[in-house]
Each structure stands twice: as C-alpha cells, then as structure tokens.
Amino acid sequence: MTASYSVHGDVAVITLDNPPVNGLGLAARQGIVAGLEQAQADAAVKAIVLTGAGKAFSGGADIKEFGTPKALQDPNLLSVISALEQSTKPVVAAVHSVAMGGGLELSLGCHYRIAAPGAKIALPEVKLGLIPGAGGTQRLPRVLGVEAALNMIVSGEPVNSEMLAALPGQKLFDRMAASPASLMDEALAFARSVADARPLPLVRDLPARHPQGDAYFQFARNMVKGMAKNFPAPAICVDAVEAATRKKFADGMAYERQHFINLMWTSESRALRHLFTAERAASKIPDVPSDTPLREIRKVAVIGAGTMGGGIAMNFLNAGIPVTMLEMKPEALERGVGVMRKNYEAQVAKKKLKADKYEQRMALLSTTLSYGDLKDADLIIEAVFEEIGVKEAVFKQLDAVAKPGAILASNTSTLDVNKIAAFTGRPQDVVGMHFFSPANVMKLLEVVRGEKTAKDVLATVMAVARKIRKTAVVAGVCDGFIGNRMIEQYGRQGGFLLDEGCTPQQVDKAVEKFGVAMGPFRMGDLAGNDIGWAIRKRRYVEKPGMKYSKTADLLCERGRFGQKVGKGWYDYLPGKRDAIPNAEVVAMIEEHRKALGIAPRKISDEEIVQRLVFSLVNEAAHILEEGIANKASDIDVVYIFGYGFPVFRGGPLQYADEFGLFNVVQAMQRFARNPLDDAAFWQPAPLLARLVAEGKTFN
Ligand code: NAI
C-alpha cells in the first residue's frame, strides 16, 4: 500500500504512504487515482484532502523508478494532476514537512492548498540537469509571481512554507495551519468550508504576468549564463517560465514537456543523475548490511596537529563532537591550534561563521601531550608523519591506552593499513580514514578497509562521515587507494606530454578547458612537487622497469617544489595563487627533450585530454577488477569530490561510457603505438576489454 483512503464524516482523505518521502512511484500514482474515483462515487463525500504520511507530503518522483519504464507508465504524474483538476469535488492539499519536485506539482493540481509551517518547498529538478516536467514551470509563476517562482526553479533550493505564505499576493497557500500537529484538523475543516464552492478554482486559470517582462527575462538570462556554465537546464528554466507568461496554458505545458524530454537526453543531465545516485550508493557496502549496529562515537581524538590533523579536528568540532588533540611538544600544539583559530577567524571575518559559534566550537577542543588522556575516546584518528616507524610507535601506544571497542584510524596516504593494523592486538578495530587537503574543506573521504577491519567499524565510519558532512567511499588496501593510484598514471602521462612537445601551460589549459578544476602541473604545484618526487624515488627501486619522464625530477632538483616555495612548474607571487609561466622551466624541458634526441611535435588539446583522462580510466578498470573499489560509480564519486573532475561529465568512468568504451579502447591502442609513451600501460585492462566485447558500460 503506497496510498490509503479513509473517510472522515463527509471528507475523504487520500494519504500517500511510500516511505521515506512518499515518492510518486507507479503504485502511489495509482493509489491517488483510485482514491479520487472512490470519492467521486461516494455521494456522502463532499470534499477530498490529499496528504502524505510520515516525514513528507511528497518528495517527488520515486528515485527507485528513475530510468525504468515504470516511471512513464500510466497513470503518469501529468495524468494524476489532470485527474485532480477534473475532480467534481474540491481537493485540498494538506502540505507539510517536504513538498518537492513532483510533490509540489501535485499540490498545484489541487483546488486548494493548506500548509503547515516549516515545510520545505522546492522544485529541485535543475539539480539533475532538468526543468520541472509536470507543470511546475507553468503553474508556480501563476501562484507565486514570476520572479519568486523563477528564483525557486533556477536555484532548485527549498524555501520555507511560511516565507512563501508571506509573499504579497501569493496564491500558493490558501491557508497556513497553526502547527504541523493541527494541520489535518484544519485541513478537514477547510475542506468542509469549501465543499459547496463552485466553480472550483484551478491554478491554470490564473494569469502569469510580469509588468516589465522583456527587461526582466533579459536580466534573468544574463544572470543564469554566468552561473550555469556547462549546464543547459538553468537557461531553459528561464525560457519555460517566460513561456508561461506569453503562451496559453496548454501551449506552455507542451513547451515545458518538450524541453524536459530534450534535457533528459543531454549528457549533462545524465551526469547529474548518475552522481545523484552514485553519491547515495557510495555509502552502501555490498557485504555490510544496512542494519549493522553502529558503535557510538561521542568523543574523538586526533594525533598530530599538522596540516591534516588540524583540518580533521575542525570537521568534528563543526559537528559538535568534542576532540582531544595529541602532539609530541607543546609548541606543535600551539602552532596547530593557532592555525585552526586563524581558519575560523577568517570564516568569522567573511561572515560565514558567527563569533559565538566559533567560541562554542573551540570550547569543544582540548589538547594533550599524554596518551593517558585518550582513554575515553571512541574514535582516534592518527595524522602524524608519513613514516612507518612513527606510525608503529603511535599505534602501539594507542593499543595500550584506547578503551576496548575504540576505533583506531590512520590518515595515511601511502602506507599499508594492514601493516598498521598489525601493530595492534586489535586489527579488527583499525581502519584507514584518508582525508584530502584542506581536510576541513574537501568533501571526499576514502575509507580504507583493511583485511581484518570489522564490518561494524566500517559501518560506523561511514555514518561518522555523514555526520561531518563528508562523502565517503570505501577503498581496499593498495598503494594510493583509489584516487592517488589513478592520479599517478595521470601524472606520468603529463610527463610524457612534456617530453614530446608540450609546455606545462598547454597541458593545464587543455584539461581545464575540458572542465577539470586544475591541470596536472598547477595541481602538482599546489600539492607540493616534492611529494611526487618521494613517491617516484620509491618506484625507481620497487619497479625499475616502469617508464617515467625525468622532467619532474629535474624540476625538484632545482628546488621548485611549488606554491609553498613560490616556484614550481610556474612562478607565484607572495600570497597569490596565480600561476605565472616561467621561461627557465620551459627551457629546462626543451633541453631535456634535446638530450633525449626527441624532435618536438605539436600535440592537439584533444590528444592531451584523452591521454590524461583515459589513463585514469584504464587504471580505474584495474582497480575495479581487483576489488579495490566496490563499484564504478564509487570511482566517479572519488574524482568529482576529491580531484575537481567536472561535474557535468559525471566522473571519468561516466565520461568513458559517454565517449563509448569501444572508442576509448581504440584510442588506447593508438597511444600504445607511440614509442615515447608506455605501451604496456595502454594495454586495455581486462575488465575494460571485456566490457567492450560484451557491449557493456561501466555504470
Ligand atoms: P605534517 O607534517 O603537517 O603534520 C604531522 C604532525 O604530526 C606534526 O605536527 C608532528 O609534530 C606530529 N607528529 C609527528 N610524530 C608524532 C607522534 N609520534 N606523536 C604525535 N604527533 C606527532 O603532516 P601532514 O601533511 O598533516 O600529514 C599527516 C598524515 O596525513 C600523513 O600520514 C600524510 O601522508 C597524510 N595525508 C596528508 C595529506 C596532505 O595533503 N598533506 C593528504 C592526505 C593524507
């Protein structure tokens, strides 16, 4: 049962009941239509109330039905809305908690609406690269006025019901209930009061006008163009609302329908819909049931108050969870806490944080030099130097003092989490929590699952991630986990491109034009080129056959470590982040090329982008096959939230799917024939070859 029917005296009540948010799946739609028919047939019923059970009026389309034939099966949402409009008895929508997307459109098909205060009202379709598709663009301007409606449609953001009710001249809500608790009683009384009203009012009959339409829509278009680079939907929201003001209702509806369908077929909307489900799916781990009991996390400790430790601690303070920070020396604590204060003070100065909130957060922080003070901590995150000996000393001490059941996490980016776990007598409680820098800002968290990590530890860490507003993805133990293992191949390609004829600037520009936030060389300068250097030095020993360009090493030998020293692949002015091309670096690359006897060639932006992006794709296919990542969509989430991959492309694997895996493999085979590249690397990963042979895709 996804919708129920009951009769209260002379009023019938149709209640959507499809947890968690009363999504308008097929059964729910059928339920509404059946309820309407029953009410029409019952002479004792004079009016109808439509509402939702539980925590929503309705959250809109049922995401479980996305992309399935059920989503379109009759009665579709348009026919349900038309059945509401055609009801011969008045229908009152009793709106509470959440009315979004199709849920709000449904209420706009009712003759009247009464709302509880505190309800979140939105048309969020634009966030999926769409426009509302069941009359939202045509009906909302008729009840809210053009400007308020367009703001909601273009932003997709929720607005509180009482704020909307306060708009002058609004006709969205005929009544506001005193409270959510009294909504149903008031809705029944209101329905009785309008039982005999005829003709029944319809939103479609109201006018949608703007007194200075031409100027306003021009202004709106300019605004949208600036903010919606790479996404077509926001501009079409403007067009559709304008159509509401210029066309007859039925023609406006046809216009909306046509554009809704067109947008459905754009790669941008597919990317956004993919990421919407991918982000939700990331927290699900195949062999960890969703009802796994969680460990309680009330107190957190962080070891090491350096670059990462401070940012990690801030995440918990922001979520109201007390943190104890441990360091080796008082000076280190002082410096670490100082950096955190500076970070918060910058937020206060920018008015992003209230001064009293800042004080509340800092009050949750305590510092110590003694492991004894960590004995109450439920979760301890280590962020000390990246040396296995240091990690060993820390984890042995943690094993000695931490209470039974405490989760012991390491923020290591390259070390073996299984080895770290083995330093303790409780490897089941050890897990990797790989934050990204700056840790208080970056959304991504790689949760590294050791061989012995307990399922409830994983489930707890995923829940903790949600609490501190991170997007967490599970990775298996390997060098670099998901993100950095892929970026290493990308960096290697960047080096080959320099050897063959590119400048750092040309490579960065090409990738940035493709949409990546920062090209590989600017990124290297930001992260510190010495980090990659240290990794390569290790690789030269571990994998002597692996091919590398030497340019990055030459750069580091000149001390050009990046932004932190004011010079790297580019130059940087003090306090500025703008990358200024440096002629000596370009000359250094040219000399090196000459020494290798390579005649430079002109490389197209297309080749640059394909080599960089497909290097990610091939490594990702290995990662999937080895089970380091649970699913392809997890890898896309890592690259979107941790590496600035363009959202409108949906992640590297979604992009490869769109490009066509057959075409991707063809390109790889072409790259493999380039004697200056690494032919072995470009052998398509077995999984990729299989997908092509079977005509399948990653996602
Ligand atoms: P950092 O050098 O800025 O900070 C390390 C801090 O740990 C220092 O304040 C040091 O005094 C303290 N420390 C060292 N040994 C200690 C011990 N035995 N007990 C207590 N405190 C000790 O280093 P950073 O960059 O914060 O890195 C920390 C960890 O995070 C490393 O494992 C690193 O691989 C990892 N990581 C770093 C990222 C980055 O972008 N910097 C990104 C992701 C992970």
Side-chain angles (χ1 to χ4, degrees):
M1 268 295 271
T2 48
S4 66
Y5 180 84
S6 58
V7 178
H8 301 248
D10 52 359
V11 180
V13 177
I14 302 171
T15 307
L16 290 164
D17 194 0
N18 186 20
V21 293
N22 298 323
L24 297 169
L26 178 61
R29 301 194 302 265
Q30 286 166 335
I32 299 171
V33 173
L36 281 173
E37 279 166 7
Q38 206 169 338
Q40 310 299 322
D42 184 347
V45 167
K46 302 287 181 223
I48 302 156
V49 170
L50 174 64
T51 192
K55 285 190 278 190
F57 172 75
S58 168
D62 194 336
I63 54 170
K64 288 183 292 259
E65 271 185 11
F66 264 24
T68 71
K70 266 193 175 177
L72 301 174
Q73 204 173 316
D74 262 332
N76 63 31
L77 190 52
L78 285 169
S79 29
V80 175
I81 290 171
S82 137
L84 287 166
E85 285 187 328
Q86 282 160 29
S87 165
T88 55
K89 299 174 184 179
V91 186
V92 177
V95 171
H96 65 91
S97 314
V98 169
M100 292 194 184
L104 178 56
E105 290 174 308
L106 188 71
S107 77
L108 290 169
C110 298
H111 304 110
Y112 303 95
R113 286 155 298 279
I114 174 169
K120 291 199 165 76
I121 312 295
L123 287 175
E125 288 80 356
V126 74
K127 294 186 172 180
L128 298 179
L130 300 170
I131 61 173
T137 65
Q138 304 304 299
R139 288 194 181 89
L140 198 63
R142 288 177 153 81
V143 293
L144 276 192
V146 167
E147 295 195 16
L150 184 57
N151 283 341
M152 283 179 68
I153 293 168
V154 155
S155 71
E157 290 298 321
V159 184
N160 264 354
S161 48
E162 58 268 40
M163 276 182 68
L164 292 172
L167 289 176
Q170 69 83 24
K171 298 194 168 64
L172 175 58
F173 299 129
D174 301 278
R175 290 282 163 87
M176 282 302 284
S179 72
S182 66
L183 174 68
M184 269 323 280
D185 285 342
E186 293 189 53
L188 290 171
F190 180 58
R192 279 181 196 114
S193 76
V194 294
D196 297 324
R198 295 294 182 280
L200 290 169
L202 292 178
V203 172
R204 62 160 73 210
D205 295 336
L206 298 169
R209 269 189 220 111
H210 193 288
Q212 290 99 27
D214 288 339
Y216 171 71
F217 285 107
Q218 191 51 46
F219 158 80
R221 273 196 187 90
N222 290 340
M223 286 272 294
V224 160
K225 215 186 283 164
M227 67 180 225
K229 217 171 66 167
N230 299 320
F231 289 101
I236 295 177
C237 291
V238 179
D239 295 345
V241 171
E242 184 173 29
T245 68
R246 305 227 193 265
K247 294 179 190 286
K248 288 196 193 114
F249 180 78
D251 296 341
M253 287 296 285
Y255 186 94
E256 177 193 88
R257 192 77 209 147
Q258 186 58 48
H259 285 85
F260 172 80
I261 290 168
N262 291 349
L263 284 168
M264 210 31 130
W265 287 98
T266 58
S267 59
E268 293 86 356
S269 174
R270 276 196 297 274
L272 289 172
R273 281 177 282 145
H274 164 62
L275 290 173
F276 182 84
T277 36
E279 203 185 342
R280 281 156 186 77
S283 61
K284 301 197 174 76
I285 312 166
D287 62 331
V288 179
S290 59
D291 58 355
T292 303
L294 303 182
R295 299 189 189 182
E296 209 164 345
I297 305 296
R298 287 215 207 93
K299 288 184 180 168
V300 170
V302 175
I303 322 269
T307 311
M308 295 305 288
I312 293 170
M314 285 174 76
N315 289 318
F316 290 95
L317 301 179
N318 297 349
I321 301 170
V323 177
T324 304
M325 279 220 293
L326 181 143
E327 262 285 355
M328 296 182 294
K329 295 204 181 106
E331 306 87 84
L333 278 177
E334 232 165 80
R335 194 189 51 223
V337 174
V339 172
M340 290 169 66
R341 282 202 174 275
K342 251 169 87 186
N343 260 324
Y344 277 133
E345 277 156 20
Q347 290 176 25
V348 173
K350 283 188 210 148
K351 302 216 186 305
K352 285 187 180 159
L353 181 69
K354 291 218 170 94
D356 57 331
K357 274 257 167 73
Y358 160 43
E359 287 310 330
Q360 280 166 23
R361 289 178 189 185
M362 285 311 287
L364 291 170
L365 179 70
S366 57
T367 59
T368 182
L369 300 171
S370 154
Y371 276 87
D373 290 334
L374 307 188
K375 61 181 189 315
D376 292 335
D378 304 297
L379 166 66
I380 307 179
I381 305 174
E382 164 278 311
V384 302
F385 299 139
E386 187 74 340
E387 282 166 39
I388 194 76
V390 184
K391 306 279 189 202
E392 176 172 4
V394 168
F395 274 82
K396 285 197 162 145
Q397 293 183 80
L398 289 180
D399 196 20
V401 300
K403 68 180 188 189
I407 296 177
L408 310 181
S410 172
N411 182 47
T412 181
S413 32
T414 57
L415 300 172
D416 183 340
V417 173
N418 292 328
K419 222 182 224 171
I420 294 176
F423 296 140
T424 72
R426 38 175 128 176
Q428 74 281 0
D429 295 338
V430 177
V431 66
M433 287 178 81
H434 184 218
F435 289 85
F436 288 72
S437 181
N440 55 318
V441 178
M442 294 295 288
K443 285 271 290 175
L444 179 65
L445 175 68
E446 278 182 326
V447 173
V448 186
R449 177 179 195 168
E451 245 162 47
K452 300 204 172 135
T453 306
K455 289 184 181 179
D456 67 334
V457 166
L458 276 176
T460 303
V461 170
M462 297 307 274
V464 165
R466 223 167 302 136
K467 208 171 227 174
I468 61 172
R469 310 175 111 189
K470 299 289 171 193
T471 302
V473 169
V474 177
V477 175
C478 72
D479 203 330
F481 314 127
I482 297 173
N484 284 342
R485 176 166 156 188
M486 286 163 63
I487 210 77
E488 194 174 343
Q489 298 304 333
Y490 175 91
R492 232 157 50 91
Q493 277 303 316
F496 297 149
L497 287 165
L498 297 186
D499 287 351
E500 288 174 47
C502 290
T503 61
Q505 199 187 11
Q506 189 195 350
V507 175
D508 284 348
K509 280 224 164 117
V511 187
E512 286 160 18
K513 212 165 77 197
F514 173 78
V516 175
M518 210 183 258
F521 298 106
R522 278 175 61 207
M523 196 170 78
D525 279 354
L526 179 67
N529 295 312
D530 48 323
I531 296 181
W533 197 21
I535 294 174
R536 283 193 303 281
K537 284 179 184 162
R538 235 176 47 220
R539 294 281 182 270
Y540 297 152
V541 179
E542 290 166 358
K543 298 185 182 164
M546 184 96 126
K547 198 165 165 181
Y548 283 95
S549 161
K550 286 273 178 287
T551 46
D553 295 358
L554 296 172
L555 188 82
C556 289
E557 282 164 20
R558 296 176 183 213
R560 301 190 67 101
F561 291 157
Q563 282 190 23
K564 59 186 167 192
V565 292
K567 55 183 187 174
W569 294 105
Y570 302 92
D571 288 330
Y572 299 88
L573 296 173
K576 293 253 166 80
R577 291 182 178 275
D578 309 281
I580 307 162
N582 173 288
E584 278 171 46
V585 170
V586 175
M588 176 197 88
I589 296 166
E590 280 167 4
E591 263 167 47
H592 177 62
R593 206 180 281 144
K594 223 181 258 166
L596 293 174
I598 300 171
R601 74 179 166 98
K602 191 170 169 359
I603 301 178
S604 69
D605 285 1
E606 190 188 4
E607 180 180 339
I608 294 171
V609 168
Q610 289 187 4
R611 282 171 63 176
L612 289 169
V613 175
F614 296 164
S615 72
L616 296 176
V617 171
N618 207 27
E619 193 63 22
H622 287 294
I623 284 174
L624 266 176
E625 186 135 56
E626 291 168 26
I628 295 297
N630 290 320
K631 46 194 176 304
S633 63
D634 283 357
I635 294 177
D636 284 337
V637 169
V638 166
Y639 265 74
I640 295 289
F641 291 101
Y643 292 83
F645 203 85
V647 172
F648 71 99
R649 306 218 186 253
L653 299 185
Q654 174 72 11
Y655 176 70
D657 283 348
E658 291 278 346
F659 194 86
L661 296 188
F662 176 82
N663 300 327
V664 170
V665 166
Q666 291 281 306
M668 288 181 179
Q669 283 163 350
R670 216 166 45 241
F671 303 151
R673 289 193 290 272
N674 173 358
L676 297 174
D677 205 321
D678 181 350
F681 171 74
W682 284 121
Q683 293 318 302
L687 170 70
L688 179 55
R690 221 164 43 240
L691 290 175
V692 171
E694 293 169 4
K696 291 189 178 151
T697 59
F698 281 112
N699 284 310

